């Protein structure tokens, strides 16, 4: 095969490929698009796995509309957010895209087994990009490095989606590159034709000259000389003009993000202030459940019970005016952030990506106590324990042992203890003495035992200290002597156990204490106790 023919074939192929790519596949907008795909899910959403977006650089276009005209949602989220959001409900996974952009789907059962209603997606603050509403909704997103998912669903989060979806991938400069390949192909084709024509032109006979035959050598390669240089030049041209159009493989395997933006945190705390104030005025135990959970909710509801029983004045709620936020980064759930306002310290938690932010902890620092700088706060890990005086949970457990032993414990040496502890120990000792003198034999034993009410939450500051927020359970037990009975005769305990309730075995009550500890780095510094709130939550006996 002559060089001219070879170049002509190469040029023809390049020209056809470049022309088809430029005018039939890509177009002037640099975008490869699919026609509308009709998708129906038995679950509540369509979601792509991160493997479908394993290259970054191109721009993703997603357009969707519901077949019924109802509002639709389209969004992109980090994989750990989307996985948490859809974990409990049935949905449809987009498992494969085949050329020319046809979708292959697979039904996924959620942990709940049936489609469990989801929080309306547009109200969630963790989407990277989103669009929601009636009619056609579209997003345009430069695909970032890392595991991300695309989600298409009904905007209400409750209706199985029946949607028309159009996908597109925009590759920057792809149209220009295709035109370049077309032009290069035409040039190579023209050069090939020129060489063919020149080869067929009759040559003028040259005079015969006797020469010595050259030494035998290998036959010339059809890829040598001009052809080799032209082809090599074309490859280089393609690399130089098209390198920016080649999507790069992802290198990031895990993602993290701040738990919440300052703007969103401000809205969460503002709503908390409003709802908790309104619930406090009415002592509405159901309403307060909209913004609180866990041990904090238990304490608040107990306070309402006591207030209603004794017709107490409505106390000023613990609110957060002009709050300052400490927002750690997370790569999974639950997520938390801290808000402070003066001496008030609150902890908010989102259990899953579809859950609301609820306050799970709130207390007021003791007088003159001051938190360390919370800038750069991050969740404590097991590895942090080697740099701290003691691991965060171990610090709280040591405090419970010290309190249970009424100060007679070596654990007390680790703490800068509060004066109120000694006063409490003295009161308990006085009660024992009074029962012993006034009614000998009526009481077998009397004491308090302290334990963790729930796992503590610990953070590490930029200086390496640990800030520990914990709730401690304080169980009071008075064991009744033989042939005797006891009852609660007064105080807040009668809100839970009326005087008519008599107990022949044990008289009990439970208080919860909200504690703030600052655990220093290894050294001689003591663990600081910055708060020790108290709330009676139950009383009775058996």
């Amino acid at each position: 095969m002559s060089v001219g023919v070879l170049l002509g074939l190469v040029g023809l192929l390049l020209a056809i490929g470049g022309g088809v790519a430029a005018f039939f596949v890509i177009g002037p907008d640099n975008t490869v698009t699919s026609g509308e795909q009709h998708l129906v899910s038995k679950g509540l959403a369509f979601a792509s796995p991160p493997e479908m977006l394993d290259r970054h650089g191109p721009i993703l276009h997603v357009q969707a509309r519901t077949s019924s005209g109802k509002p639709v949602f389209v969004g992109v989220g980090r994989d750990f957010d989307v996985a948490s959001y859809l974990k409990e409900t049935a949905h449809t996974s987009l498992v494969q895209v085949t050329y020319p952009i046809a979708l292959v789907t697979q039904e996924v059962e959620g942990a709940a087994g049936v489609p469990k209603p989801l929080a309306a997606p547009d109200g969630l603050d963790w989407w990277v990009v989103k669009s929601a509403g009636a009619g056609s909704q579209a997003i345009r997103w430069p695909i970032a490095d890392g595991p991300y998912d695309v989600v298409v669903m009904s905007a209400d989060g409750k209706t199985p989606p029946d949607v028309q979806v159009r996908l597109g991938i925009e590759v920057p400069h792809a149209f220009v590159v295709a035109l370049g390949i077309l032009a290069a192909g035409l040039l190579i084709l023209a050069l090939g034709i020129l060489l063919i024509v020149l080869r067929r032109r009759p040559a003028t006979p040259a005079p015969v000259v006797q020469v010595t035959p050259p030494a035998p050598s290998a036959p010339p390669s059809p890829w040598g000389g001009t052809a080799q240089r032209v082809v090599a030049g074309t490859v280089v041209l393609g690399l130089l003009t098209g390198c920016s159009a080649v999507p790069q493989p992802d290198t990031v395997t895990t993602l993290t993000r701040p738990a919440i933006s300052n703007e969103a945190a401000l809205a969460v705390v503002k709503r908390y202030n409003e709802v908790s104030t309104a619930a406090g005025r009415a002592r509405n135990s159901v309403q307060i459940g909209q913004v609180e959970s866990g041990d904090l909710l238990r304490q608040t509801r107990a306070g309402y019970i006591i207030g209603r029983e004794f017709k107490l004045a409505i106390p000023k709620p613990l609110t957060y005016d002009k709050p300052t936020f400490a927002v750690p980064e997370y790569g999974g759930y639950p997520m938390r952030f801290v808000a402070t306002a003066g001496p008030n310290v609150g902890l908010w938690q989102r259990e899953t990506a579809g859950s609301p932010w609820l306050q799970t902890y709130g207390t007021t620092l003791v007088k003159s106590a001051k938190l360390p700088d919370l800038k750069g706060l991050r969740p404590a890990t097991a590895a942090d324990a080697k740099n701290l005086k003691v691991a965060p949970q171990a610090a709280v457990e040591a405090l419970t042992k010290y309190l249970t032993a009424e100060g007679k414990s070596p654990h007390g040496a680790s703490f800068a203890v509060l004066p109120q502890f000694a006063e409490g120990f003295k009161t308990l000792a006085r009660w024992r003495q009074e029962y012993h003198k006034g009614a000998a034999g009526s009481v077998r034993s009397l004491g308090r035992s302290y334990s963790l009410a729930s796992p503590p939450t610990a953070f590490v500051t930029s200086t390496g200290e640990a800030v520990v927020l914990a709730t401690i359970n304080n169980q009071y037990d008075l064991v009744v002597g033989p042939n005797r009975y006891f009852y609660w005769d007064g105080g807040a305990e009668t809100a839970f156990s009326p005087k008519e309730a008599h107990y022949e075995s044990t008289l009990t009550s439970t208080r919860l204490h909200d504690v703030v500890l600052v655990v220093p780095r290894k050294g001689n510094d003591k663990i600081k106790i910055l708060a020790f709130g108290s709330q009676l939550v139950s009383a009775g006996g058996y």
Side-chain angles (χ1 to χ4, degrees):
M1 183 184 293
S2 70
V3 172
V5 173
L6 180 62
L7 288 178
L9 289 174
V10 172
L12 181 62
L13 291 174
L14 288 174
I16 292 173
V20 170
F23 299 108
F24 295 96
V25 178
I26 300 171
D29 61 356
N30 300 314
T31 304
V32 181
T33 60
S34 70
E36 277 197 335
Q37 307 279 319
H38 183 205
L39 301 177
V40 180
S41 175
K42 296 178 182 178
L44 294 181
F46 293 98
S48 68
E51 294 78 17
M52 284 186 62
L53 298 175
D54 60 356
R55 288 178 176 267
H56 60 278
I59 298 171
L60 175 70
H61 295 260
V62 183
Q63 186 176 12
R65 61 182 178 86
T66 57
S67 302
S68 63
K70 292 181 179 179
V72 66
F73 173 88
V74 184
V76 174
R78 296 167 185 84
D79 179 60
F80 69 83
D81 284 317
V82 174
S84 174
Y85 180 53
L86 299 178
K87 180 180 179 181
E88 294 294 323
T89 195
H91 59 280
T92 301
S93 178
L94 305 175
V95 295
Q96 189 178 1
V97 178
T98 58
Y99 183 83
I101 311 188
L103 300 174
V104 180
T105 63
Q106 179 179 325
E107 297 297 327
V108 178
E109 285 192 6
V114 295
K116 182 180 178 182
L118 296 168
D122 194 38
L124 302 173
D125 59 2
W126 44 261
W127 296 103
V128 177
V129 61
K130 64 178 180 177
S131 180
S136 182
Q137 299 297 315
I139 60 170
R140 179 181 184 275
W141 178 60
I143 300 175
D145 192 351
Y148 291 89
D149 303 340
V150 180
V151 176
V152 178
M153 60 189 295
S154 298
D156 62 5
K158 302 174 183 177
T159 308
D162 182 346
V163 293
Q164 302 288 340
V165 177
R166 185 190 301 272
L167 299 180
I169 297 292
E170 177 184 343
V171 182
H173 315 302
F175 182 64
V176 173
V177 170
L179 290 179
I181 293 173
L182 170 62
L186 292 174
L187 286 173
I188 296 172
L189 176 60
L191 179 60
I193 293 173
L194 179 61
L195 291 177
I196 293 172
V197 171
L198 291 176
R199 182 173 183 180
R200 290 184 177 181
R201 181 182 300 174
T204 302
V208 176
V209 179
Q210 186 70 32
V211 295
T212 303
S217 61
S221 168
W223 290 95
T226 305
Q228 187 176 24
R229 287 193 292 273
V230 171
V231 172
T234 303
V235 173
V236 172
L237 176 65
L239 289 173
L240 292 176
T241 59
C243 61
S244 63
V246 178
Q248 300 300 307
D250 284 353
T251 57
V252 176
T253 57
T254 58
L255 296 170
T256 62
R257 65 172 178 85
I260 192 171
S261 68
N262 264 28
E263 182 182 5
L266 192 61
V268 168
V269 173
K270 181 181 178 183
R271 180 172 182 269
Y272 174 81
N273 289 342
E274 293 169 352
V275 174
S276 65
T277 298
R281 287 181 185 139
R283 293 192 168 107
N284 189 324
S285 295
V286 174
Q287 188 178 16
I288 193 62
Q290 298 174 11
V291 291
E292 289 184 359
S293 70
D295 294 325
L296 179 63
L297 178 60
R298 186 184 178 194
Q299 293 179 68
T300 303
R301 287 174 170 170
Y304 290 172
I305 292 171
I306 295 169
R308 284 194 298 266
E309 178 67 22
F310 296 103
K311 298 180 174 57
L312 301 177
I314 302 296
K316 183 180 178 181
L318 194 156
T319 55
Y320 301 82
D321 301 317
K322 298 181 180 178
T324 300
F325 302 112
V327 182
E329 288 208 357
Y330 290 90
Y333 288 84
M335 290 190 176
R336 302 177 177 93
F337 73 89
V338 177
T340 59
N344 297 338
V345 181
L347 178 70
W348 273 260
Q349 177 171 303
R350 171 179 267 173
E351 193 64 31
T352 70
S355 304
W357 283 104
L358 298 175
Q359 190 180 7
T360 58
Y361 176 95
T363 193
T364 300
L365 301 180
V366 298
K367 191 174 180 180
S368 75
K370 186 179 179 182
L371 283 169
D373 187 354
L374 300 184
K375 271 185 184 177
L377 201 69
R378 62 174 177 81
T381 65
D384 290 313
K386 64 182 180 182
N387 299 319
L388 296 169
K389 183 180 184 70
V390 63
Q393 180 158 330
V396 183
E397 290 172 345
L399 180 60
T400 63
K401 292 174 182 177
Y402 166 77
L403 294 171
T404 299
E406 299 176 32
K408 302 178 181 70
S409 166
H411 293 289
S414 301
F415 296 90
V417 297
L418 300 176
Q420 68 191 72
F421 293 165
E423 294 171 7
F425 301 153
K426 289 179 182 178
T427 299
L428 203 58
R430 187 178 69 251
W431 288 350
R432 288 196 192 97
Q433 189 175 19
E434 289 174 354
Y435 282 123
H436 179 71
K437 287 184 178 179
S442 63
V443 175
R444 292 181 177 178
S445 65
L446 185 157
R448 294 186 181 275
S449 59
Y450 294 79
S451 61
L452 275 170
S454 54
T457 299
F459 302 98
V460 175
T461 69
S462 58
T463 58
E465 298 173 294
V467 177
V468 188
L469 310 179
T471 301
I472 291 176
N473 188 81
N474 172 358
Q475 180 72 30
Y476 171 87
D477 290 308
L478 184 154
V479 180
V480 181
N483 303 317
R484 303 293 180 96
Y485 66 84
F486 272 76
Y487 58 92
W488 289 105
D489 187 34
E493 286 80 2
T494 56
F496 304 97
S497 179
K499 295 180 181 180
E500 296 77 20
H502 295 177
Y503 306 103
E504 297 179 353
S505 177
T506 306
L507 198 66
T508 66
S509 70
T510 302
R511 287 182 174 273
L512 293 180
H513 301 283
D514 292 317
V515 180
V516 177
L517 301 181
V518 176
V519 181
R521 293 174 62 87
K522 281 188 175 178
N524 297 322
D525 290 342
K526 293 192 174 186
I527 301 170
K528 297 175 184 176
I529 305 171
L530 304 187
F532 196 80
S534 180
Q535 174 62 54
L536 178 72
V537 294
S538 69
Y542 50 91

